[in-house]
């Protein structure tokens, strides 16, 4: 098997004396969508934060493309093709949609390459094209989430890390955001680590998933295996 794009080994994260993640290990393969599932406070966001160097893990290692990146700060990782979309999809409210997208492309020096990426992004999110002159602050929650994803894509990432894209969105918009994610994955050789509480939606787009509980990974398998798992059905799918 070729080296996965992301490999997390025995990651431990603690805030002061309180352990949030204990010895978590996971992998994301090339062009694979992997979901990290679990209830509130399970340690999903802390795992993501440690992967992108926003918090320093107490122990454990993170490998990106086979290289040890443990503790490398987020801006260096962006330059190496990793993009993080944090919880709550922050956009620049006083800028237009297009202005936000220009800011997302600050690492792209070649104007022709930028124009081409912008076209690709607009093809995936036609609504953003229609609203390119609208101020981002006046967009709906789902539209802002799409804009945050689109902006991250303009840096041309190979690995996308998304924290709870469904948070606070109406079901219809959640569906749109996930449809866009699925479309993205079909169109580009992009790897995605998706943190979600919306288990059903996440298992629809992911090929594999890990389930976290109290800071540990308690289950993992293919999306089909997890959907068929009694514990997952009871605890996370309400069946
Ligand atoms: P949610 O789905 O609610 O966002 P999560 O699975 O992402 O939850 P984390 O945000 O990683 O969980 O939190 C894991 C644990 O770590 C929780 O008990 C939380 O209270 C604690 N925690 C998170 N961030 C901090 C912090 N900055 N300082 C102290 N404790 C924290």
């Amino acid at each position: 098997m070729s080296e996965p794009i992301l490999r997390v080994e025995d990651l431990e994260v603690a805030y002061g004396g309180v352990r949030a993640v204990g010895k978590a290990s996971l992998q994301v393969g090339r062009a694979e969508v992997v979901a990290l599932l679990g209830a509130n406070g399970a340690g999903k966001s802390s795992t993501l934060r440690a992967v992108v160097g926003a918090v320093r893990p107490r122990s454990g290692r993170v490998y990106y493309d086979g290289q040890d990146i443990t503790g490398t700060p987020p801006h260096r990782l962006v330059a190496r093709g990793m993009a993080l979309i944090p919880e709550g999809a922050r956009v620049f409210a006083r800028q237009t949609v297009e202005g936000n997208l220009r800011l997302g492309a600050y690492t792209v020096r070649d104007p022709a390459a930028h124009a081409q990426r912008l076209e690709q992004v607009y093809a995936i999110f036609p609504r953003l094209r229609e609203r390119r002159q609208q101020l981002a602050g006046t967009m709906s929650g789902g539209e802002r989430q799409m804009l945050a994803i689109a902006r991250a894509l303009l840096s041309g990432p190979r690995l996308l890390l998304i924290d709870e894209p469904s948070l606070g969105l109406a079901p219809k918009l959640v569906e749109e955001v996930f449809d866009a994610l699925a479309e993205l994955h079909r169109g580009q050789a992009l790897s995605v680590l998706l943190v979600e509480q919306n288990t059903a939606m996440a298992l629809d787009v992911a090929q594999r998933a890990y389930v976290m509980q109290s800071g540990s990974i308690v289950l993992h398998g293919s999306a089909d295996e997890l959907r068929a798992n009694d514990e997952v059905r009871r605890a996370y799918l309400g069946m």
Side-chain angles (χ1 to χ4, degrees):
M1 209 180 95
S2 70
E3 175 70 24
I5 190 146
L6 181 71
R7 185 154 53 88
V8 174
E9 281 183 1
D10 295 333
L11 196 72
E12 255 190 293
V13 180
Y15 303 102
V18 184
R19 199 168 77 159
V21 179
K23 303 268 178 210
S25 299
L26 61 88
Q27 297 192 353
V28 180
R30 284 165 206 279
E32 190 182 34
V33 180
V34 174
L36 184 56
L37 308 169
N40 282 125
K44 307 179 298 295
S45 302
S46 299
T47 302
L48 218 54
R49 274 185 232 130
V51 166
V52 300
V55 298
R56 192 162 241 299
R58 175 186 276 184
S59 65
R61 313 296 322 161
V62 181
Y63 299 90
Y64 173 60
D65 235 355
Q67 292 191 320
D68 190 342
I69 55 151
T70 317
T72 305
H75 67 274
R76 290 243 192 98
L77 296 175
V78 171
R80 288 168 69 171
M82 218 191 249
L84 172 71
I85 304 170
E87 209 172 300
R90 267 152 279 170
V91 296
F92 300 100
R94 287 162 189 272
Q95 298 266 354
T96 61
V97 166
E98 210 158 67
N100 270 273
L101 293 177
R102 246 195 318 274
L103 289 165
Y106 71 97
T107 56
V108 185
R109 303 252 178 271
D110 173 7
H114 171 62
Q116 193 188 1
R117 286 222 186 108
L118 193 61
E119 268 314 300
Q120 286 170 346
V121 162
Y122 279 151
I124 299 163
F125 300 103
R127 193 179 301 198
L128 295 183
R129 189 203 300 272
E130 284 163 28
R131 291 167 183 252
R132 59 186 181 275
Q133 300 305 342
Q134 187 172 331
L135 289 181
T138 65
M139 310 257 287
S140 77
E143 289 165 351
R144 282 204 297 270
Q145 189 63 260
M146 289 177 198
L147 180 55
I149 296 172
R151 192 177 57 191
L153 289 175
L154 283 173
S155 63
R158 292 186 299 138
L159 174 64
L160 199 59
L161 305 151
I162 310 186
D163 200 353
E164 303 229 16
S166 77
L167 198 75
L169 300 185
K172 180 82 183 63
L173 284 175
V174 173
E175 212 175 298
E176 280 185 33
V177 169
F178 276 84
D179 281 352
L181 275 179
E183 177 63 32
L184 256 176
H185 182 250
R186 267 193 297 277
Q188 316 189 6
L190 187 67
S191 309
V192 181
L193 180 59
L194 167 69
V195 164
E196 255 303 335
Q197 274 195 60
N198 190 330
T199 305
M201 282 288 187
L203 290 179
D204 275 350
V205 293
Q207 280 109 52
R208 286 192 310 115
Y210 295 84
V211 179
M212 278 192 106
Q213 234 170 53
S214 311
S216 299
I217 288 170
V218 293
L219 274 174
H220 69 102
S222 70
D224 287 341
E225 283 164 355
L226 290 182
R227 246 194 304 261
N229 180 290
D230 283 341
E231 201 185 321
V232 172
R233 291 168 75 85
R234 210 176 31 247
Y236 301 104
L237 293 172
M239 290 175 173

